[in-house]
Amino acid sequence: MTNPTARYLPAGLPIPVAEPDGLSAPYWEGLRKGKLLVQRCSHCNAWQFGPEWLCHRCHAFDPAWTEVQPCGRIFSWERVWHPSHAALKGHGPYIAVLVELPHAGGIRMVGNLLGDPAQKVTIGADVEGVFEHHPESNPPYALLQWRRRQVSSK
Amino acid sequence: MTARARDERTLRGRVAVIGIGETEYYRHGASPDPEFKLALKAILAACEDAGLDPRDIDGFSSYSDDRSEASRLAAALGTHRLRTATMQWGGGGGGCCAAVANAAAAIVAGLADCVVVFRSLAQGQYGRFGQAAGIHTVSGERSYLMPYGVLAPPQRFAMRVQRYMHEHGVRQDAMCAIALASYHHAQANPRAVMYGRPLDPGKYDASRWIVEPFHLYDCCMENDGAAALVLVSAERASDFRRKPAYLLGAAFGSGHRAAATAHNAPLYATASFDTVAPDVYRMAEIGPSDVGVVQAYENFTGGVVMALAEHGFFRPEDANDFLTFENLIAPSGRLPLNTSGGNLAECYMHGFELVLEAVRQVRGTSTSQARRSDVAMVIGGPMVSPASNLILGSEATL
Ligand SMILES: [Zn+2]
């Protein structure tokens, strides 16, 4: 986003933090630095998201963190109308998308699709990540949002 | 009943439901009674239905973190001795059939003789089940969802249903038909919260979106109440006053990495019955065409579409043709569905009201009796992990 403090959803939703045991700390720290870090097992090369202490495929502990390009395609989506949180009252609709990353083992992550909330959403459409920073928050955090990629890579 | 080898690992025909009971069902927050009192009322009603002294109960089984503890129930009811107290892991309604299976397993294994399975809910007392307010920070799976406004169950599951509709060409009409059938059956059921409040296609279409592709009427209610049933071994089933409903099969669980966070299950567009449905048919020794009536848990109608397909009632590609109002209503639809009104229109008792309705179908006492009701299925908690299901049958099916 051009405006460093622009946010897609209103303030007041729960702030994401790492667990007390620190499992997801590299992921959240990465987002704050504008990097997407996900786990990739150094033994069997399996990609994994969300993080876990164990590689789901080969059972090696502590899968390594790897930076990947925040780009992918829409695997599914939904347009939310009913506010399930006080912070969303009077806001909406808004769009949440599930994005798959084909270059990272097809792992998926949920984010919002930036732009017109009434826009037509197409499964399979290419999207690129946008880091949404919240330095003013306590504690500070960043989210990974998505927008339609203008030039198709197909 | 045919004699079964002692070492045969099955629940088929070995336990029977001898009593069912429930409280009055209330709108969310409207129960005049607190939750524990509701549980006691439902359990006593089930004992009364069976003609059983509640002191003879020796076990309790529930799910979804029911707050009415077994030991407190046992003390209050004056049960002579407590021998099993089982809680099925997992939230929501995924355990509504598993709780019955756990109770049955305890009886078959000789751990207990007479087990009550129950669910009680007073959301006015304890707050709404799916509410997502009042927390400042989140971590773990919720941290990958909640900051993006994917907060409550409708938003968690709509994306899965959207993918399923995309993969198989399922249309909104299929989900509408499920809502219409539920409301239709509720109009014959005076116990139903939505009794006297019919639904038609125009009202469905005009209702607000909760989250696309779910209209208001695709989403279950929030309710207060309690429901219970009593299980004993099949050998004792005829000692009680009601026609027994025998457990033919039960299964629970989910497939490979089904709960991988967040939305990373390898098989994403699923109701979690890919492994569970074959298991229940294997134990029951029947197939989908033998099932005469189905009670399918509707957190959301889209989950019912997926769950019914995974139980082999139709291929996903045929969902639009199969899921019509005419096909889903009693007595003579191809597959009468949610004949009490279910979670959408009878009462959202986390699916336990569906188990009671399956018992009524087998007994022949439903307010919307299916023509073929000797074999009745319940499907619990689509899209969660673990999910569960069960099949009940009359004595003739053993
Ligand atoms: Zn590995």
Side-chain angles (χ1 to χ4, degrees), chain B residues 29-104:
Chain B
S31 169
D33 293 326
E35 194 167 89
F36 191 74
K37 192 173 176 185
L38 292 170
L40 291 169
K41 283 186 169 180
I43 292 168
L44 288 174
C47 292
E48 170 67 24
D49 181 58
L52 170 82
D53 184 341
R55 295 167 190 83
D56 292 334
I57 296 165
D58 61 0
F60 297 90
S61 176
S62 190
Y63 62 99
S64 199
D65 309 324
D66 195 284
R67 290 171 286 246
S68 299
E69 283 186 84
S71 293
R72 185 179 169 197
L73 289 169
L77 295 167
T79 61
H80 300 302
R81 53 180 186 162
L82 179 63
R83 297 170 72 204
T84 186
T86 308
M87 178 62 67
Q88 170 74 5
W89 258 332
C96 67
C97 298
V100 178
N102 289 332

Side-chain angles (χ1 to χ4, degrees), chain B residues 13-336:
Chain B
R14 287 185 158 158
V15 299
V17 181
I18 54 156
I20 57 174
E22 74 254 298
T23 64
E24 187 179 328
Y25 289 145
Y26 303 95
R27 285 175 170 275
H28 155 250
S31 169
D33 293 326
E35 194 167 89
F36 191 74
K37 192 173 176 185
L38 292 170
L40 291 169
K41 283 186 169 180
I43 292 168
L44 288 174
C47 292
E48 170 67 24
D49 181 58
L52 170 82
D53 184 341
R55 295 167 190 83
D56 292 334
I57 296 165
D58 61 0
F60 297 90
S61 176
S62 190
Y63 62 99
S64 199
D65 309 324
D66 195 284
R67 290 171 286 246
S68 299
E69 283 186 84
S71 293
R72 185 179 169 197
L73 289 169
L77 295 167
T79 61
H80 300 302
R81 53 180 186 162
L82 179 63
R83 297 170 72 204
T84 186
T86 308
M87 178 62 67
Q88 170 74 5
W89 258 332
C96 67
C97 298
V100 178
N102 289 332
I107 291 170
V108 170
L111 298 174
D113 289 330
C114 179
V115 183
V116 160
V117 193
F118 72 98
R119 183 79 181 108
S120 54
L121 268 172
Q123 302 202 32
Q125 183 183 2
Y126 285 108
R128 291 180 67 171
F129 194 72
Q131 201 169 45
I135 48 171
H136 180 61
T137 61
V138 281
S139 59
E141 184 183 33
R142 295 191 305 170
S143 68
Y144 311 117
L145 304 174
M146 292 178 81
Y148 302 99
V150 178
L151 299 145
Q155 298 137 18
R156 293 179 69 103
F157 294 128
M159 218 177 270
R160 200 178 274 257
V161 169
Q162 186 87 263
R163 178 71 196 187
Y164 187 86
M165 294 170 79
H166 169 80
E167 287 184 6
H168 303 293
V170 176
R171 294 191 298 269
Q172 194 80 35
D173 290 348
M175 299 201 287
C176 177
I178 290 166
L180 293 176
S182 297
Y183 270 78
H184 173 78
H185 291 138
Q187 304 319 308
N189 175 6
R191 300 182 310 275
V193 172
M194 290 298 176
Y195 179 67
R197 304 191 61 171
L199 180 66
D200 60 55
K203 198 170 162 188
Y204 173 92
D205 287 338
S207 71
R208 62 192 173 97
W209 289 112
I210 299 300
V211 45
E212 295 172 42
F214 300 151
H215 278 283
L216 173 67
Y217 291 105
D218 291 302
C219 306
C220 65
M221 299 185 285
E222 302 271 354
N223 294 116
D224 292 355
L229 61 78
V230 188
L231 277 182
V232 297
S233 69
E235 288 74 21
R236 295 177 60 202
S238 57
D239 297 347
F240 299 89
R241 65 164 70 124
R242 292 290 198 164
K243 176 183 172 184
Y246 294 88
L247 186 61
L248 298 183
F252 50 90
S254 52
H256 176 61
R257 297 182 72 237
T261 56
H263 296 232
N264 272 266
L267 185 56
Y268 178 70
T270 174
S272 306
F273 289 102
D274 49 312
T275 56
V276 182
D279 274 357
V280 79
Y281 286 127
R282 195 175 306 117
M283 183 181 285
E285 300 173 7
I286 61 168
S289 61
D290 301 305
V291 176
V293 57
V294 172
Q295 316 300 325
Y297 189 105
E298 341 81 307
N299 36 16
F300 308 99
T301 53
V304 178
V305 179
M306 302 156 88
L308 293 176
E310 286 164 29
H311 281 80
F313 294 110
F314 50 82
R315 297 184 312 135
E317 291 69 26
D318 298 330
N320 299 314
D321 296 330
F322 191 98
L323 295 171
T324 64
F325 176 70
E326 291 72 25
N327 277 349
L328 300 180
I329 58 170
S332 53
R334 284 172 70 181
L335 189 69

